[in-house]
């Protein structure tokens, strides 16, 4: 039976996610419903993607008695603004719905813990949509590290720079803007993947803020036990190399750009390609058909009866947000949600 998806939010990322879904076997995944705060937008989205059920509010999707776990939709994909993740996430979790929530999970650790608590209380599946974790390249990296191919990993570096100062949601505090929550999260999650969710001994962050109060650029240095370190740099002001490297006592791995949705891996100078499917219609973001991998991860977890992802566990999401909270504190980035 196909995993049936309810799409919450009819914006750009939801469009790309729906296009990516079309690269998967139709017998495994089905776009069953879409909800938007605008019925007209939901109807346009449904027509474009061939979705039969349409809602003009998130509440309608959450409260429909015909839509629940293993009834009409098996899981709801949240593609709404960062600032809405907790409120809308709780709406569906408390309605007994499984949830795949776009990154960042929420605005701060307190909100993330509320989402995790709600998923446990309602005994439903919850995952932060860090799609990077599900790409074949990252799966291969995890395998190589587990086999000890690099020896002892001593240094991890990750860079991500994308000029986005012209985009309101990237620069406005009320929309959850800033480099850290939007793109820096990919660099930090990569480090956590390499070090298997281990908590760093220290977090040192420095950066520059825009007049709006959000971070334009930031550098975060993580120190781990055993003289291991990680160095992350990200910016919404300039383009960067957008690659990641892992250096160990026996070799190196380089993830060429784009490191957050990679299609190749370089092991000790030898490159291997991992191509992704071509889209059936135009996309908004780089390599978005790769969203198929996190959708399939969700399906496999649901089929096994799991309540969280094996590739992006809730403990990693929790630690990731803790690190981002500390980085924001050191750079002086404060959101309205931090005072609630």
């Amino acid at each position: 039976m196909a995993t049936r998806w309810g799409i919450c939010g009819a914006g750009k990322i939801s469009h790309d996610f729906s296009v990516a879904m079309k690269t998967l076997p139709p017998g495994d995944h089905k776009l069953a419903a879409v909800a938007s705060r605008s019925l007209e937008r939901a109807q346009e989205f449904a027509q474009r993607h061939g979705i039969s059920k349409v809602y003009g509010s998130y509440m309608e999707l959450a409260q429909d008695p015909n839509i629940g776990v293993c009834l009409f939709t098996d899981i709801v994909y949240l593609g709404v603004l960062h600032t809405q993740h907790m409120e809308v996430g709780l709406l569906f979790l408390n309605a007994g719905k499984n949830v795949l929530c776009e990154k960042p999970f929420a605005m701060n650790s307190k909100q993330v813990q509320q989402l995790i608590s709600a998923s446990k209380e309602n005994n439903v599946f919850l995952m932060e949509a860090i799609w990077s974790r599900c790409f074949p390249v990252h799966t291969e990296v995890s395998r190589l590290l587990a086999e000890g191919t690099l020896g002892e990993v001593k240094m991890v570096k990750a860079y991500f720079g994308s000029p986005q100062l012209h985009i309101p949601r990237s620069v406005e505090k009320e929309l959850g803007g800033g480099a850290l929550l939007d793109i820096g999260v990919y660099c930090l999650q990569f480090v956590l993947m390499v070090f298997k969710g281990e908590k760093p001994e220290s977090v040192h962050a420095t950066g520059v803020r825009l007049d709006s109060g959000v971070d334009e650029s930031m550098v975060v240095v993580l120190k781990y036990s055993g003289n291991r370190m990680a160095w992350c740099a990200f910016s919404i002001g300039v383009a960067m190399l957008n690659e990641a490297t892992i250096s160990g006592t026996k070799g190196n791995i380089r993830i060429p750009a784009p490191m957050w949705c990679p299609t190749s891996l370089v092991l000790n100078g030898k490159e291997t390609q991992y191509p992704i499917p071509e889209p059936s219609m135009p996309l908004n973001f780089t390599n978005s058909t790769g969203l198929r991998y996190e959708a399939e991860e969700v399906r496999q977890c649901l089929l096994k009866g799991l309540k969280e992802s094996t590739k992006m566990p809730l403990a990693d999401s929790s630690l990731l947000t803790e690190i981002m909270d500390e980085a924001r504190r050191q750079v002086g980035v404060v959101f309205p949600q931090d005072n609630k």
Side-chain angles (χ1 to χ4, degrees), residues 81-84 104 106-111 168-183 209-210 212-216 218 234 236 321 324-329 331-340:
L81 287 173
H82 302 168
T83 50
Q84 296 178 302
M107 296 300 293
N108 54 41
S109 291
K110 183 177 180 180
Q111 290 192 343
R169 71 166 181 83
S170 295
V171 300
E172 295 180 14
K173 180 178 289 189
E174 293 73 19
L175 299 179
L180 177 62
L181 293 190
D182 194 27
I183 60 179
R209 301 192 307 270
L210 298 170
S212 64
V214 304
D215 55 302
E216 177 188 282
M218 194 181 292
F234 36 90
I236 55 173
T321 314
M324 292 196 295
D325 281 357
E326 177 59 21
R328 285 199 297 113
R329 186 191 68 79
V331 177
V333 177
V334 181
F335 291 109
Q337 291 83 359
D338 297 327
N339 300 317
K340 293 182 180 179

Side-chain angles (χ1 to χ4, degrees), residues 77 100-103 127-132 186 294 312:
Y77 169 78
L100 173 64
C101 178
E102 260 306 332
K103 62 81 196 166
M127 175 184 173
E128 181 180 13
I130 302 287
W131 63 324
S132 310
Y186 288 117
E294 69 178 2
M312 188 62 201

Side-chain angles (χ1 to χ4, degrees), residues 60-80:
E60 289 180 76
L61 175 58
Q63 292 185 339
D64 191 325
N66 296 315
I67 298 183
V69 177
C70 295
L71 291 177
F72 193 77
T73 59
D74 298 307
I75 185 159
V76 175
Y77 169 78
L78 297 189
V80 297

Side-chain angles (χ1 to χ4, degrees), residues 137 254-258 261-266 271-275:
V137 168
R254 181 170 66 90
I255 310 297
C261 51
T263 57
S264 66
L265 179 154
V266 182
E271 185 169 9
T272 303
Q273 299 289 330
Y274 297 82

